[in-house]
Amino acid sequence: MKTTALRMILAGAAFFGLAIGAGAQDYPSKSLKLIVPFAAGSATDALARILGEHVSKSLGQPVIVENIAGASGVIAAQNVARAEPDGHTVLITTNTTHGANQSLMKNVPYDAVTSFEAVAKLGTITLALATHPAVPATTVQEFVAYARANPGKLTFGAGSSSSRIAGEMLKSLAGLDITYVPYRSNPQAITDLLGGQINIVFADISTTLPQIKAGKVNGLAVSTAKRSVLAPDLPTMAEGGVKGYDLAAWFAAFVPAKTPRASVDKLNQALVNAINDDATKKRLLAAGIEPETSTPDELRAFVGTELAKWAGIVKAAGIQPE
């Protein structure tokens, strides 16, 4: 009897192991849903749609992009964290949900590290400072002078944590009194900037640059320490007299915690292959995104570093969690 029972246990274990292996081999077994925490028209949305096309072909399954904007990405991130951990629901997100929110908010209903499995870093993006033509300034120096002469009269819109931090850093480093106006996404903030409802927007270059090139808004500077290859004519904030200003946003993919590692690795490879594709690279650069990749372990370590970095930026800017 004991021998029979032992054989049954071993057979069951072997069957269970084969089932797990088969499940990993079969991934993906249905369509993939890429959840974007910002509205259509945002840089993150463009990234998801560009990569989704390539990933669909390489994995042989449809890829659906779903936009869940609002609450600085919290709603979307929470939805993915609660999803079935089978690798078919993927969060295509930024440092907003996995870097800044943890310092900007008193309560974040997910853990940036333990609620997800890191998949791959996808790229970085520069932010640009754009102002409404009614603001009498075409350089950072002129803008700072005007803002100082008109304390409390100017407003800046932001539809992501990166954009808000960019504006708050400008206020802190230049000693300005400018009112923050929250938006569900940066494209919405740009719409109000064009309409004159707000005075400035500090947002991803893919959102601001088309309006700058069209002459609808004034482009004053980029957020990074070096000029962007995508907008070489725009000076840096430091060149404009705001010393120590350096900020860049990043993109990455995550799936729910406890997703099988084999599925994570397969998704990672599909995303890396997509980013390394020459045609895809050109499309990403045209969208203002500088392609970048990583392993799952590298991304997990990177998130830990970024959480500490953004905490320091928020503290230096004197922002109180809300």
Side-chain angles (χ1 to χ4, degrees):
M1 289 293 291
K2 289 183 179 180
T3 303
T4 301
L6 179 60
R7 285 176 178 172
M8 290 177 66
I9 292 171
L10 292 174
F15 176 79
F16 183 68
L18 287 171
I20 292 176
Q25 282 185 337
D26 291 343
Y27 172 81
S29 59
K30 58 182 180 180
S31 61
L32 277 73
K33 184 182 292 184
L34 305 186
I35 304 297
V36 176
F38 308 109
S42 63
T44 318
D45 175 70
L47 173 70
R49 294 180 188 281
I50 292 170
L51 294 182
E53 292 179 20
H54 195 284
V55 169
S56 177
K57 293 177 182 177
S58 64
L59 293 182
Q61 290 288 352
V63 172
I64 302 165
V65 176
E66 181 177 343
N67 301 87
I68 305 179
S72 293
V74 168
I75 301 171
Q78 191 174 20
N79 280 358
V80 174
R82 292 173 173 175
E84 187 71 23
D86 58 9
H88 292 91
T89 303
V90 186
L91 181 66
I92 304 296
T93 190
T94 71
N95 47 273
T96 289
T97 61
H98 282 66
N101 280 352
Q102 288 67 24
S103 296
L104 288 172
M105 299 179 177
K106 290 181 179 179
N107 297 300
V108 179
Y110 61 87
D111 188 287
V113 177
T114 62
S115 296
F116 303 90
E117 300 295 340
V119 180
K121 193 173 181 184
L122 306 174
T124 57
I125 193 165
T126 300
L127 282 69
L129 173 59
T131 63
H132 188 272
V135 177
T138 57
T139 66
V140 173
Q141 293 95 328
E142 291 175 353
F143 175 79
V144 168
Y146 180 76
R148 285 175 178 168
N150 296 273
K153 294 184 179 180
L154 296 178
T155 55
F156 80 91
S160 70
S161 294
S162 297
S163 294
R164 184 188 174 184
I165 292 297
E168 297 288 358
M169 280 183 67
L170 173 58
K171 289 172 58 178
S172 175
L173 294 176
L176 306 181
D177 180 5
I178 305 174
T179 303
Y180 160 59
V181 180
Y183 284 86
R184 289 175 63 85
S185 67
N186 284 328
Q188 292 175 343
I190 288 291
T191 297
D192 274 8
L193 178 68
L194 293 171
Q197 284 87 359
I198 53 177
N199 304 115
I200 75 170
V201 169
F202 223 137
D204 49 88
I205 204 167
S206 62
T207 303
T208 53
L209 196 57
Q211 308 302 333
I212 293 171
K213 288 183 174 180
K216 295 180 179 179
V217 298
N218 291 325
L220 303 191
V222 293
S223 63
T224 44
K226 295 181 180 180
R227 293 196 181 198
S228 170
V229 295
L230 301 170
D233 294 335
L234 286 182
T236 65
M237 291 295 293
E239 287 177 313
V242 185
K243 301 302 180 184
Y245 199 106
D246 182 17
L247 183 72
W250 50 265
F251 304 95
F254 299 87
V255 290
K258 298 183 180 180
T259 298
R261 181 59 189 244
S263 299
V264 170
D265 287 341
K266 192 169 184 179
L267 179 58
N268 169 274
Q269 193 58 56
L271 288 167
V272 169
N273 289 343
I275 291 172
N276 288 335
D277 177 72
D278 289 339
T280 303
K281 277 186 178 180
K282 290 179 181 178
R283 292 181 66 189
L284 291 175
L285 288 169
I289 300 164
E290 297 182 42
E292 188 175 347
T293 63
S294 76
T295 66
D297 292 336
E298 287 170 343
L299 175 57
R300 179 174 290 275
F302 177 73
V303 169
T305 301
E306 284 293 291
L307 288 169
K309 170 189 169 182
W310 285 87
I313 292 174
V314 170
K315 183 178 181 180
I319 303 172
Q320 296 299 316
E322 299 174 355

